[in-house]
Amino acid sequence: PASAGAGAALAGRHVLVTAGPTHEPIDPVRFIANRSSGKQGYALAAAAVAAGARVTLVSGPVTLPAPAGVSLVRVETAREMLEAVRRALPADIAIFTAAVADWRVAEAGAQKLKKGPDGAPRLALVENPDILATIAGDLAHRPALVIGFAAETEKVVEHAKAKLARKGCDLIVANDVSAESGVMGGDRNRVHLVSRDGVESWSEMGKAAVAHALIARAATMLAPR
Ligand code: CTP
Ligand code: CA
C-alpha cells in the first residue's frame, strides 16, 4: 500500500546476501584468494535493510564493517559459505555477490609447507561447490527470487546469458571487472541485467546506487503476497 512508504518495499521479507572473496587454505599460513572487496554485496545488504527486510549477510574475509541491522555470518572457505547459506534459509530473495574461489587445494597441508631440495610444490586443485547453482536447483528450499552476479573481463553479456541458463537463477547482474574497468575494489559499477526477458544495461553508478536500484527491482520482481 502507498501508505507503507518506500522504506517498506521488503517489509516482512528475508533477504540473504553472499559477499566478498573466499579464502582456500594451502597450508596453515597460506591461502588462495581473489580481489573481491565485498563492497557491492555489503551495499546490497544495507539497501535491503533500508527497504525493510530482515537481512542475513554471509561474508568471506573483507575489511568492511557490518552494515547496521544486518545479521552477519563470517566464513572463510567456499564450503563454509555453502553451509552458512543453507543454515540461513528459508529466504524470499537470495543475492549471490560473493567471488567464490572456483578451486581449492585438494589436500591442504596440516603443517606449513617448507622449501626443500625437490623444488616448488605442485598444488592439485579441485572444484568448489557452486553455491548459487546448488541453492537455485534445490527446489524444496529455493528462495522465490535467486539473483547471481557475473564478473567478466570480456564478452560480458554473452557469458552472463550462458550463466543464467547454467545456474538456474532468475536474474544475472553482469559487470565488467577487467583491470581497465576499476570495478574490483572500486566504488563504481556498470551493470547489465540479464534475465529470460532480455538484457537491460544501466549507466555507471556508485555501488550504493546500484544496490538501491537492484533492491527496488528485486522487490518488483517478487510476486506479491
Ligand atoms: N558462484 C557461487 N559459487 C561458486 C562460484 C560462483 O555461488 N562456486 C556464484 C557467484 O556468487 C556469482 C555467480 O555464481 O553470483 C557467478 O560467478 P562467476 O564466478 O562469474 O561464475 P562461474 O560459474 O564461477 O564461472 P567462471 O568463473 O568460470 O566465469
Ligand atoms: Ca568463478
Side-chain angles (χ1 to χ4, degrees):
S3 60
L10 291 178
R13 305 289 199 170
H14 181 208
V15 176
L16 170 65
V17 180
T18 71
T22 64
H23 285 184
E24 309 296 330
I26 296 170
D27 68 19
V29 299
R30 304 183 178 97
F31 54 83
I32 298 174
N34 62 64
R35 296 186 192 283
S36 170
S37 65
K39 283 177 185 170
Q40 188 64 78
Y42 276 57
L44 276 160
V49 169
R54 175 167 79 83
V55 179
T56 304
L57 174 59
V58 178
S59 176
V62 298
T63 55
L64 302 170
V70 160
S71 165
L72 177 65
V73 184
R74 295 179 194 275
V75 298
E76 293 260 334
T77 68
R79 288 183 295 174
E80 288 167 10
M81 186 172 275
L82 175 58
E83 263 319 295
V85 165
R86 283 194 197 282
R87 272 197 298 273
L89 294 176
D92 299 288
I93 303 174
I95 310 177
F96 296 86
T97 73
V100 182
D102 291 318
W103 304 283
R104 67 175 182 273
V105 175
E107 284 185 65
Q111 306 298 333
K112 183 184 167 190
L113 303 183
K114 302 298 288 179
K115 286 186 289 185
D118 298 340
R122 292 180 123 69
L123 298 179
L125 301 180
V126 293
E127 202 164 315
N128 268 327
D130 189 317
I131 301 167
L132 164 57
T134 302
I135 300 303
D138 181 359
L139 297 187
H141 305 103
R142 189 188 194 280
L145 188 58
V146 176
I147 301 177
F149 270 65
E152 307 291 353
T153 59
E154 57 168 2
K155 300 184 194 158
V156 176
V157 168
E158 188 181 321
H159 284 152
K161 283 181 177 165
K163 273 176 195 167
L164 180 79
R166 193 166 79 233
K167 290 169 183 276
C169 53
D170 303 300
L171 182 68
I172 287 275
V173 181
N175 54 7
D176 181 348
V177 295
S178 58
E180 312 85 76
S181 73
V183 165
M184 276 242 168
D187 291 316
R188 300 187 68 77
N189 208 352
R190 179 160 192 274
V191 301
H192 310 269
L193 271 55
V194 179
S195 72
R196 279 176 291 276
D197 298 336
V199 181
E200 190 179 312
S201 295
W202 289 0
S203 51
E204 190 187 287
M205 291 183 258
K207 287 183 178 177
V210 169
H212 283 280
L214 279 176
I215 289 297
R217 173 60 59 92
T220 312
M221 288 175 75
L222 201 60
R225 275 181 296 209

